[in-house]
Amino acid sequence: MMRQHAEVKDCFNGDYYPLTDFDLGRDVWCCYQLYKPELGKGFIMAFRRDECPESQFVAKLGAVEADARYRFDNFDTQQVLELSGAEIIESGFTIELDEPRSSALIKMTKL
């Protein structure tokens, strides 16, 4: 966890993008993004609440440039994904959590 914090700590005072509406329901996703455009990096924090039936959430990310490429590092699954900004804008960014009451921390880097 210390390594994860070290990799994203510079982004905590970055631009904030709520990716879901504010909802205290136990059957919904809760996601937000923090991004520092001057560093070209940020992170996505996603929570699947305990009664949420959907295992996937498609996020419309902020601060995405259509002509850029982005790398996403999922700290929990170790999955690395590279997408174009155009793909992200058109299709969104899919987050998958197999179990309710789980979370994901995903680092986003502009390449």
Side-chain angles (χ1 to χ4, degrees):
M1 291 181 105
M2 295 300 288
R3 180 186 63 80
Q4 293 175 6
H5 180 264
E7 289 192 39
V8 299
K9 70 180 180 181
D10 295 339
C11 303
F12 277 96
N13 63 345
D15 297 337
Y16 170 75
Y17 300 91
L19 303 177
T20 56
D21 293 331
F22 177 76
D23 190 332
L24 295 176
R26 294 172 49 186
D27 61 344
V28 295
W29 281 77
C30 176
C31 300
Y32 65 89
Q33 173 190 6
L34 291 172
Y35 189 76
K36 293 273 293 221
E38 62 271 21
L39 299 178
K41 69 179 189 175
F43 67 89
I44 301 160
M45 190 73 235
F47 302 92
R48 180 181 172 192
R49 294 194 175 139
D50 62 338
E51 294 179 11
C52 182
E54 294 88 19
S55 63
Q56 291 186 339
F57 175 76
V58 179
K60 296 294 184 187
L61 301 181
V64 174
E65 299 172 23
D67 59 347
R69 290 199 60 79
Y70 296 88
R71 175 182 165 135
F72 296 90
D73 293 90
N74 186 315
F75 286 118
D76 300 298
T77 65
Q78 308 307 309
Q79 178 185 21
V80 175
L81 182 64
E82 284 189 21
L83 297 170
S84 71
E87 289 174 285
I88 299 165
I89 291 168
E90 183 178 316
S91 302
F93 180 76
T94 301
I95 303 164
E96 185 168 355
L97 291 170
D98 293 332
E99 297 295 323
R101 197 174 181 183
S102 57
S103 65
L105 175 61
I106 303 166
K107 184 174 74 168
M108 175 183 177
T109 308
K110 182 179 172 186
L111 301 175

